[in-house]
Amino acid sequence: MSTFQFDLVSPEKLLFSGEVSQVDVPGSEGDFGVLAGHAPLMTTLRPGILVLHGEGGALQVVVNGGFAEVGAAGLTVLADMAVPLEDFEVSRLTDIIERAEEDVAKVEEGATRDKLVRRLDQLKTLQAILAQ
């Protein structure tokens, strides 16, 4: 099977850079798979699990927000948050959700509150996905 270059970057660090045979991405319009020679594409990410398939098997990574770009050089994912599933602490997510709910309750109507509500919705979506 043909391979292509894949880079996964989060604000903290470069999580992965190398050749892969396939990457399954949780796109904002639905999940999609990328293989070598995929048509150019740019999309936003939704909360979910990105799966990269390489020589060492499949690696699952929890992502929340960001962008994916497929181009001639391969696939690049710039994720707002990206943590290998095996390292992800679901209990920590519960704490983050509780704090986000408190933040939403403190803010009156307006753009700031809307932004906080969107973040809370993303976190709850991620929690639901991980509970499956």
Side-chain angles (χ1 to χ4, degrees):
M1 183 175 259
S2 297
T3 62
F4 61 95
Q5 178 64 34
F6 172 58
D7 295 311
L8 175 58
V9 183
S10 75
E12 293 83 27
K13 62 182 175 179
L14 175 66
L15 290 167
F16 182 88
S17 181
E19 294 288 314
V20 295
S21 57
Q22 178 177 340
V23 179
D24 300 319
V25 181
S28 60
E29 299 296 320
D31 291 355
F32 64 95
V34 177
L35 299 169
H38 193 287
L41 167 77
M42 183 159 206
T43 187
T44 56
L45 301 179
R46 65 167 175 75
I49 299 176
L50 179 142
V51 183
L52 62 105
H53 303 270
E55 284 186 17
L59 174 64
Q60 296 181 320
V61 180
V62 178
V63 295
N64 188 20
F67 299 91
E69 180 183 17
V70 181
L75 170 64
T76 301
V77 172
L78 305 172
D80 295 340
M81 181 202 73
V83 178
L85 182 58
E86 62 193 28
D87 297 338
F88 193 82
E89 298 177 31
V90 176
S91 61
R92 186 168 176 262
L93 179 59
T94 302
D95 294 340
I96 293 169
I97 289 172
E98 288 174 6
R99 285 195 303 273
E101 288 172 333
E102 291 168 4
D103 291 344
V104 167
K106 292 177 190 174
V107 178
E108 296 294 322
E109 295 298 318
T112 300
R113 187 173 198 282
D114 292 345
K115 182 178 176 181
L116 292 171
V117 167
R118 276 193 304 275
R119 175 160 165 66
L120 178 59
D121 288 345
Q122 284 183 329
L123 293 169
K124 286 184 176 182
T125 299
L126 187 56
Q127 185 180 45
I129 290 167
L130 294 172
Q132 295 176 357

mmCIF file with all atom_site columns, all heavy atoms in Angstrom, residues 8 10 27-28 43 94 96 102 122 129:
data_model
loop_
_atom_site.group_PDB
_atom_site.id
_atom_site.type_symbol
_atom_site.label_atom_id
_atom_site.label_alt_id
_atom_site.label_comp_id
_atom_site.label_asym_id
_atom_site.label_entity_id
_atom_site.label_seq_id
_atom_site.pdbx_PDB_ins_code
_atom_site.Cartn_x
_atom_site.Cartn_y
_atom_site.Cartn_z
_atom_site.occupancy
_atom_site.B_iso_or_equiv
_atom_site.pdbx_formal_charge
_atom_site.auth_seq_id
_atom_site.auth_comp_id
_atom_site.auth_asym_id
_atom_site.auth_atom_id
_atom_site.pdbx_PDB_model_num
ATOM 1  N N   . LEU A 1 8   ? 1.125   15.811 12.438 1.00 0.00 ? 8   LEU A N   1
ATOM 2  C CA  . LEU A 1 8   ? 0.106   16.144 13.422 1.00 0.00 ? 8   LEU A CA  1
ATOM 3  C C   . LEU A 1 8   ? 0.729   17.092 14.432 1.00 0.00 ? 8   LEU A C   1
ATOM 4  O O   . LEU A 1 8   ? 1.674   16.726 15.133 1.00 0.00 ? 8   LEU A O   1
ATOM 5  C CB  . LEU A 1 8   ? -0.422  14.889 14.126 1.00 0.00 ? 8   LEU A CB  1
ATOM 6  C CG  . LEU A 1 8   ? -1.411  15.097 15.267 1.00 0.00 ? 8   LEU A CG  1
ATOM 7  C CD1 . LEU A 1 8   ? -2.649  15.859 14.807 1.00 0.00 ? 8   LEU A CD1 1
ATOM 8  C CD2 . LEU A 1 8   ? -1.795  13.752 15.871 1.00 0.00 ? 8   LEU A CD2 1
ATOM 9  N N   . SER A 1 10  ? 0.089   20.046 17.540 1.00 0.00 ? 10  SER A N   1
ATOM 10 C CA  . SER A 1 10  ? -0.780  20.695 18.528 1.00 0.00 ? 10  SER A CA  1
ATOM 11 C C   . SER A 1 10  ? -0.030  21.926 19.031 1.00 0.00 ? 10  SER A C   1
ATOM 12 O O   . SER A 1 10  ? 1.161   22.095 18.743 1.00 0.00 ? 10  SER A O   1
ATOM 13 C CB  . SER A 1 10  ? -1.089  19.744 19.686 1.00 0.00 ? 10  SER A CB  1
ATOM 14 O OG  . SER A 1 10  ? 0.024   19.604 20.548 1.00 0.00 ? 10  SER A OG  1
ATOM 15 N N   . GLY A 1 27  ? -13.703 15.180 10.503 1.00 0.00 ? 27  GLY A N   1
ATOM 16 C CA  . GLY A 1 27  ? -13.920 16.487 9.895  1.00 0.00 ? 27  GLY A CA  1
ATOM 17 C C   . GLY A 1 27  ? -15.238 17.098 10.339 1.00 0.00 ? 27  GLY A C   1
ATOM 18 O O   . GLY A 1 27  ? -16.142 16.393 10.792 1.00 0.00 ? 27  GLY A O   1
ATOM 19 N N   . SER A 1 28  ? -15.350 18.393 10.220 1.00 0.00 ? 28  SER A N   1
ATOM 20 C CA  . SER A 1 28  ? -16.565 19.088 10.646 1.00 0.00 ? 28  SER A CA  1
ATOM 21 C C   . SER A 1 28  ? -17.787 18.662 9.834  1.00 0.00 ? 28  SER A C   1
ATOM 22 O O   . SER A 1 28  ? -18.912 18.740 10.310 1.00 0.00 ? 28  SER A O   1
ATOM 23 C CB  . SER A 1 28  ? -16.376 20.605 10.552 1.00 0.00 ? 28  SER A CB  1
ATOM 24 O OG  . SER A 1 28  ? -16.083 20.974 9.221  1.00 0.00 ? 28  SER A OG  1
ATOM 25 N N   . THR A 1 43  ? -10.299 21.484 5.668  1.00 0.00 ? 43  THR A N   1
ATOM 26 C CA  . THR A 1 43  ? -11.506 21.447 6.484  1.00 0.00 ? 43  THR A CA  1
ATOM 27 C C   . THR A 1 43  ? -11.163 21.712 7.942  1.00 0.00 ? 43  THR A C   1
ATOM 28 O O   . THR A 1 43  ? -9.995  21.633 8.339  1.00 0.00 ? 43  THR A O   1
ATOM 29 C CB  . THR A 1 43  ? -12.219 20.076 6.354  1.00 0.00 ? 43  THR A CB  1
ATOM 30 O OG1 . THR A 1 43  ? -13.479 20.128 7.024  1.00 0.00 ? 43  THR A OG1 1
ATOM 31 C CG2 . THR A 1 43  ? -11.394 18.957 6.953  1.00 0.00 ? 43  THR A CG2 1
ATOM 32 N N   . THR A 1 94  ? -13.859 15.615 32.609 1.00 0.00 ? 94  THR A N   1
ATOM 33 C CA  . THR A 1 94  ? -15.028 15.903 33.446 1.00 0.00 ? 94  THR A CA  1
ATOM 34 C C   . THR A 1 94  ? -14.797 17.176 34.258 1.00 0.00 ? 94  THR A C   1
ATOM 35 O O   . THR A 1 94  ? -15.690 18.025 34.355 1.00 0.00 ? 94  THR A O   1
ATOM 36 C CB  . THR A 1 94  ? -15.326 14.714 34.384 1.00 0.00 ? 94  THR A CB  1
ATOM 37 O OG1 . THR A 1 94  ? -15.536 13.547 33.571 1.00 0.00 ? 94  THR A OG1 1
ATOM 38 C CG2 . THR A 1 94  ? -16.550 14.973 35.233 1.00 0.00 ? 94  THR A CG2 1
ATOM 39 N N   . ILE A 1 96  ? -12.787 19.651 33.479 1.00 0.00 ? 96  ILE A N   1
ATOM 40 C CA  . ILE A 1 96  ? -12.761 20.778 32.540 1.00 0.00 ? 96  ILE A CA  1
ATOM 41 C C   . ILE A 1 96  ? -14.187 21.180 32.170 1.00 0.00 ? 96  ILE A C   1
ATOM 42 O O   . ILE A 1 96  ? -14.511 22.374 32.091 1.00 0.00 ? 96  ILE A O   1
ATOM 43 C CB  . ILE A 1 96  ? -11.936 20.419 31.281 1.00 0.00 ? 96  ILE A CB  1
ATOM 44 C CG1 . ILE A 1 96  ? -10.461 20.263 31.657 1.00 0.00 ? 96  ILE A CG1 1
ATOM 45 C CG2 . ILE A 1 96  ? -12.107 21.465 30.197 1.00 0.00 ? 96  ILE A CG2 1
ATOM 46 C CD1 . ILE A 1 96  ? -9.600  19.662 30.574 1.00 0.00 ? 96  ILE A CD1 1
ATOM 47 N N   . GLU A 1 102 ? -19.375 26.374 34.838 1.00 0.00 ? 102 GLU A N   1
ATOM 48 C CA  . GLU A 1 102 ? -19.335 27.488 35.789 1.00 0.00 ? 102 GLU A CA  1
ATOM 49 C C   . GLU A 1 102 ? -19.061 28.802 35.068 1.00 0.00 ? 102 GLU A C   1
ATOM 50 O O   . GLU A 1 102 ? -19.682 29.824 35.368 1.00 0.00 ? 102 GLU A O   1
ATOM 51 C CB  . GLU A 1 102 ? -18.265 27.239 36.857 1.00 0.00 ? 102 GLU A CB  1
ATOM 52 C CG  . GLU A 1 102 ? -18.587 26.103 37.811 1.00 0.00 ? 102 GLU A CG  1
ATOM 53 C CD  . GLU A 1 102 ? -17.406 25.690 38.674 1.00 0.00 ? 102 GLU A CD  1
ATOM 54 O OE1 . GLU A 1 102 ? -16.328 26.335 38.600 1.00 0.00 ? 102 GLU A OE1 1
ATOM 55 O OE2 . GLU A 1 102 ? -17.554 24.712 39.422 1.00 0.00 ? 102 GLU A OE2 1
ATOM 56 N N   . GLN A 1 122 ? -18.455 21.545 22.547 1.00 0.00 ? 122 GLN A N   1
ATOM 57 C CA  . GLN A 1 122 ? -17.379 20.713 22.002 1.00 0.00 ? 122 GLN A CA  1
ATOM 58 C C   . GLN A 1 122 ? -16.883 19.715 23.046 1.00 0.00 ? 122 GLN A C   1
ATOM 59 O O   . GLN A 1 122 ? -16.665 18.544 22.742 1.00 0.00 ? 122 GLN A O   1
ATOM 60 C CB  . GLN A 1 122 ? -16.205 21.570 21.537 1.00 0.00 ? 122 GLN A CB  1
ATOM 61 C CG  . GLN A 1 122 ? -16.418 22.290 20.249 1.00 0.00 ? 122 GLN A CG  1
ATOM 62 C CD  . GLN A 1 122 ? -15.165 23.048 19.828 1.00 0.00 ? 122 GLN A CD  1
ATOM 63 O OE1 . GLN A 1 122 ? -14.380 23.510 20.649 1.00 0.00 ? 122 GLN A OE1 1
ATOM 64 N NE2 . GLN A 1 122 ? -14.989 23.189 18.526 1.00 0.00 ? 122 GLN A NE2 1
ATOM 65 N N   . ILE A 1 129 ? -18.297 10.971 22.808 1.00 0.00 ? 129 ILE A N   1
ATOM 66 C CA  . ILE A 1 129 ? -17.557 10.107 21.895 1.00 0.00 ? 129 ILE A CA  1
ATOM 67 C C   . ILE A 1 129 ? -16.680 9.143  22.667 1.00 0.00 ? 129 ILE A C   1
ATOM 68 O O   . ILE A 1 129 ? -16.615 7.955  22.360 1.00 0.00 ? 129 ILE A O   1
ATOM 69 C CB  . ILE A 1 129 ? -16.721 10.952 20.912 1.00 0.00 ? 129 ILE A CB  1
ATOM 70 C CG1 . ILE A 1 129 ? -17.641 11.659 19.930 1.00 0.00 ? 129 ILE A CG1 1
ATOM 71 C CG2 . ILE A 1 129 ? -15.690 10.105 20.172 1.00 0.00 ? 129 ILE A CG2 1
ATOM 72 C CD1 . ILE A 1 129 ? -16.971 12.749 19.125 1.00 0.00 ? 129 ILE A CD1 1
#
